[in-house]
Amino acid sequence: MSINLQNLKEIEHDLESYTQAHAQLSKIKAIRKLYHRLEEALGNGLTIQLLCDYLNQKGLEISPNYLYLVLHRIRKEQGNEFNSNKKENIKTEPLINKPINKNQSAITESQKESTTDNQYDQIMEKYKLCNNQIDKYIALGGKREDIEEQNISTQRSMVMNLRNKLRQKYKGIY
């Protein structure tokens, strides 16, 4: 049998059909194909355990820990965190308000002491709204250029160190 363009197209079509009928997907490949549906289900309130039970009933036998780890790995590869689409990037602004005009009176010492807790709470509120390490670092008062080129592990460490310094400064907690 000589191969011509028509025969080659038939072979290609037959091979595709054969592959779909007989190919065995690995567990991780199956989860990758279902990733968006799984994330949607988690976003709608289903738990890892419920999803795992469902997948086991359908023949994909995995443990909840395995599903969690694979989903974490996929998110990490894609640069996502869980439900990151629900959060917005927070634009940080200076936390210390400057007087609007020259006629405004200066803040007294007793007012400054009572506002330190408030300042810390404001910083932490902005921190909690952030969805990545760079935004968290900036919300805590760090400089973008210090953290931007670092790997994720170093970024986490930098964020935690800055957070601990702020906690120590405002709350006296070591």
Side-chain angles (χ1 to χ4, degrees):
M1 175 173 156
S2 65
I3 304 291
N4 61 28
L5 192 56
Q6 183 63 33
N7 289 347
L8 190 59
K9 286 184 181 181
E10 287 177 24
I11 292 171
E12 183 181 14
H13 176 69
D14 292 344
L15 183 58
E16 184 179 339
S17 299
Y18 183 81
T19 302
Q20 287 179 357
H22 296 90
Q24 294 289 322
L25 286 177
S26 67
K27 292 177 183 180
I28 194 165
K29 284 185 181 178
I31 293 169
R32 284 183 188 282
K33 288 195 175 284
L34 298 171
Y35 173 73
H36 293 293
R37 295 285 183 219
L38 292 170
E39 283 293 330
E40 187 177 313
L42 288 169
N44 288 330
L46 271 68
T47 63
I48 293 279
Q49 182 64 51
L50 285 173
L51 289 173
C52 207
D53 292 343
Y54 175 78
L55 294 172
N56 285 327
Q57 288 173 2
K58 294 296 182 178
L60 181 59
E61 296 187 19
I62 55 172
S63 70
N65 285 341
Y66 183 77
L67 180 59
Y68 175 83
L69 289 173
V70 171
L71 290 175
H72 176 75
R73 184 181 303 160
I74 295 169
R75 287 182 197 124
K76 190 174 177 181
E77 289 169 359
Q78 294 183 355
N80 299 15
E81 290 184 19
F82 179 62
N83 286 339
S84 64
N85 57 341
K86 292 183 180 178
K87 296 180 181 179
E88 299 174 11
N89 282 342
I90 306 302
K91 303 236 182 211
T92 58
E93 301 170 4
L95 296 175
I96 300 172
N97 297 326
K98 297 179 181 177
I100 297 172
N101 60 44
K102 295 177 183 177
N103 296 331
Q104 276 187 323
S105 61
I107 297 174
T108 65
E109 286 301 315
S110 62
Q111 288 173 324
K112 283 182 184 177
E113 288 174 11
S114 68
T115 60
T116 57
D117 285 343
N118 188 25
Q119 233 178 1
Y120 178 77
D121 292 339
Q122 287 175 347
I123 293 169
M124 293 315 294
E125 284 301 315
K126 286 186 179 187
Y127 169 83
K128 290 175 186 174
L129 294 172
C130 296
N131 64 346
N132 65 52
Q133 298 300 321
I134 295 173
D135 289 344
K136 288 178 181 181
Y137 190 75
I138 294 168
L140 293 172
K143 296 179 183 174
R144 177 179 292 276
E145 57 269 11
D146 293 343
I147 195 170
E148 213 165 29
E149 299 299 321
Q150 304 295 329
N151 65 40
I152 189 70
S153 178
T154 305
Q155 287 179 355
R156 278 191 213 107
S157 176
M158 290 173 72
V159 167
M160 293 312 296
N161 287 338
L162 187 54
R163 185 175 172 206
N164 289 338
K165 284 179 185 176
L166 287 172
R167 185 180 300 145
Q168 188 176 349
K169 176 182 175 183
Y170 287 103
K171 300 286 187 180
I173 299 171
Y174 291 92

